Amino acid sequence: MAYRWNRLGLCFLWVTSCFGGSALGQKSQPPTDAEPKPDFPNFVRSYCLDCHSQDSKDARISLDRLLDSPIVENAGPWESVVRKLQSRQMPPAGSPRPSAAEYQSAIAVLTKTLDDRAQQQPTPGYVETFRRLTRTEYRNSIRDLLGLEINVNEMLPSDEASHGFDNITVTNLSPMLLDRYVSAARKISRLAVGVRAEADNEEVYRIPPDVTQDVHIPGTPIGTRGGAVVQHNFPQNGEYEIQVRLMRDRNDEIESLRRRHEIEVLIDREFKGSLEVKRPSDGTSDKLVDSNLTVRVRLEAGPHKVAVVFPEISSSLLESVRQPLNVHFNFYRHPRIGPAIYQISIRGPFAGVPPTDTPSRRRIFSVYPTTEADQQRCAETIITTLARRAYRRELTDADLDSLLKFYNQAAKTSGFDVGIESALSAILTSPHFLFRIEREPDNLKPETVYPISDTELAARLSFFLWSSLPDDELLDLAKDGRLREPATLDAQVRRMLADERAASLTNNFAGQWLYLQNLDSFIPDMRLYPDFDDNLRQAMRRETELFFQSIVNENRSVLDLIGADYTFLNERLAKHYGIAHVYGSHFRRVTLDQGSRRGGLLRQGSVLAVTSYATRTSPVVRGHWVLKNLLGNPPPPPPPNVPALEDNTVSAELSLRDRLEQHRANAACASCHNLLDPVGFALENYDAIGRWRDSENGEALDTSGSLWDGTELHGADDLEQSILNHPDLFAQTLTEKLMTYALGRGIEAYDAPAVRKVLHQSRSEGYRFVDLVLGIAKSVPFQMRSSQ
C-alpha cells in the first residue's frame, strides 16, 4: 500500500502544479479555454502500471477519492507525499519541475493541516509495556548500579536489530536467556560483594591475531611496544598469578623469536615483574618456551589495569624506511619483526581475604552494621537503596519483603555480607530490573492517549542518553513530580549530555546508525589490501567516535557531521590518509587544509570500509547507506519475484561501472539501482579501505553520478555539497534516527508532525545537536503513550 501511495504522490505534485497549487480536499477551478485540460487519467495510468495489487483503473479511483477527501482523513498517504515533496523526488527527474516557491507552497498546505490536526488530536503511538534491557543497557546498568565493569559479551547473547537498532525487538525472555541472566546475576553479585571468590577462578584475555605488535599500542606505557592493557576486577585481597602466552604461526611455532626478549608486567602502570623469553638452541622445539611465563603479585581487591608489554628497542633507522608496510602480523605475507603476546591469563585469588573497601562495596554498602542487632536495619536500608535504583522507581512494601526473604535465608547461615549478596542476585534477576515496564492506567479504553508517569519519563531519558539507569537526581525529581516542568527538563537533558555516561550516544547510537559495529567483521582481502590490520580498524573506529562525540560535546550543528573541516587522527591513520606531521599512537584533533580529501562522515575510513566488500568497493552498498542513513530515502525493497543475479552473466573484464550498467539492464533491478548506483559512484575515489585513488586497474575513475532529482554529482565534494544544500533533509533523517532509538520503535506517519516540530524549533540555530535532543525529549511521542 505504501508503495502505491508513493506513486500517487507523484501525481499530486503534477496536479498541484497544473492547477496553481490548489489545496487538496477542495475542488480546483476548472481550466479556462487558454488552459487545456490535462489528460489526468492517462497520467495516473502511466505511473501506476507497476502497482501489483491493483490495475490502473482502481488506482485512478483511489486517487480521485484521496483528492476529494479531507487531508486529515488520509494522513498517512499525505505524509508520504510530503516526504516526496521535501526530497524533490516528485515529479521524477526529466519531468517539468515546479519552482522552489511552488514546492514550498504545496508542502505548507499539507503540513499546516496535518500539524494542526496533530496538535488537536495527538497520536504518540504505542510502545510495548515490557521491554527487556539490551545487552549494552544491561552492561551499563551494572556499571552504574554497582561500579563494576563486566564482559557482557561472555554472559549474554547479542540482540537482534530492527529499524536499525537493537532496542526494538526486545520484548521476549526465552527460558535459555533466563538461565543466562540467572547465571550472570550470581557471578556479578559474588564479584561485587567479594566474600565468596573462587580461588581457582581464571579469566583469559586474548589479543586479535591481526594486531600489529611491533609498534606502541594505545593505552600502554610510553617506551613500550605491542602487548595489551586489560582492566580486570580482582575480587579479594590476595595473590594472583598472571600468565603470558606468545603468538604462534600456523606451524605452531612462536613467531619471529630470533633472540632474547624481555616482557614487562605492570599493574596500574607500576612495574610488577619481568619475564625473559629467548630462542631455543638449534634443533630444539619451542613448545615449552612460553609455558612458564608467569608473574605472581599481591594485590588489593578492586579494578586494576594489567599491562603486558615489550620494552621498545631503539633503532637508528626509521621502520618506515626499512619496511614499506605498516602491517606485521602474518607469517607468510607480512611477518612480525618481533614476538607478540597471544593471551593474558589471570588466576586467583590465592589465600584471598574478603575486601572491606572497593568501588563496588562502596556502592552497595551505604551503611554497615557495627552490632548484630543493627544488621536487619542496615539490610533494609541497603536493599531499599539498591532496588530503588535498579527498578527505577520507589519500592513498595511487597518489593522489600520479597527481597528481605532472600537476605534473611542466606544471612542466617552465612552472615550479613552473603545475605546482601543473595538479595542483590535476586534484584538482578527481577523482571523489574531486566524489563523496562510502562504500565497503562486502569480502566483505559483502547487507543486512549495519556502522559507517561514521571518515573517512566526518567527511565526514557536515561536509556535514551545514557543507555543506563536513571540516577538519584532524576529519580528524586520524578518522585516530586517536577521532572516534566519545561525548565527542569531542559536543565536535566543538558546535565545528562554533559555527563561522561552520554558517551553511550556515540558508542551505542552512532555505532549502530553509522554501522561502526560492523567494523569488526570487515576483513579485506590481504592480497589486495596488504596494509590493513586491526590497528587500522580500531583507528578508523576511534576517528568516527571522537568526531561524533565532538558534535555532541560542543553542541555543534549536526550539519558539521557532513561538512566539517577537522577530524581526529593518530599516526597510523594519518599515514593511511596521506596526512603529514601527525606522530604517535594518541589521537588529536587535526584541522584540515582547504581542499582536503578528509573531513565529514562521507570521507572517513570507517564508513567507507563498512560499505565495501572484501575485494572491492560497492557503489550499491554505499549508495544505499547514503540514501538510508543520511537522506532518509532508501529505495523500496525489491519485489519478491525478482530473480537473483548471477555473477557469471557479467564479464569480469569490465569495469565496475560497466558491470553495474549491465545489471541495471535487468528491468526488475533498474528501478532501485538507478537510485543507488549513481550516488555510490560519487565515492569511488575512495577504495575499499578508505584510501584515495584516481584510477583503478590503470583506468581513470569515472565518479560522475546523480541524485534522484537529477542533481549531477562529480565526486565526493558534489555529494557532500548536495546534502548540505538540503539541510532540512539531513536534519530530519538524523532526528528520525534519534527518535527511533529513543522510543524503541519504528517511526510511523503519525510521528511526522512531532519531527517537524523538532526541526522547526532547532532551525534558527542551525540544527544544533542539543536542540534536536531537547526537542525529542519534549515531544508528544516521547512524553505520551497510547493504550492498546
Side-chain angles (χ1 to χ4, degrees), residues 629-640:
N629 292 315
L630 303 186
L631 297 174
N633 281 286

Side-chain angles (χ1 to χ4, degrees), residues 30-81:
T32 64
D33 293 339
E35 297 175 274
K37 182 178 179 180
D39 190 2
F40 183 68
N42 286 339
F43 180 79
V44 175
R45 181 181 181 83
S46 68
Y47 282 107
C48 295
L49 289 177
D50 58 349
C51 297
H52 304 287
S53 60
Q54 300 186 35
D55 61 25
S56 58
K57 179 180 178 181
D58 293 334
R60 181 173 67 249
I61 294 172
S62 297
L63 176 64
D64 292 340
R65 290 174 178 171
L66 181 67
L67 294 173
D68 290 338
S69 303
I71 293 175
V72 294
E73 292 183 6
N74 299 283
W78 287 123
E79 287 291 1
S80 179
V81 171

Side-chain angles (χ1 to χ4, degrees), residues 38 213 348 412 445 471 539 548 569 582 611 655 707 742 769 780:
Q213 295 192 39
K412 185 177 181 180
K445 295 180 179 179
D471 60 7
F548 184 87
L569 303 173
V582 178
T611 53
S655 69
L707 290 177
F769 187 86
V780 166

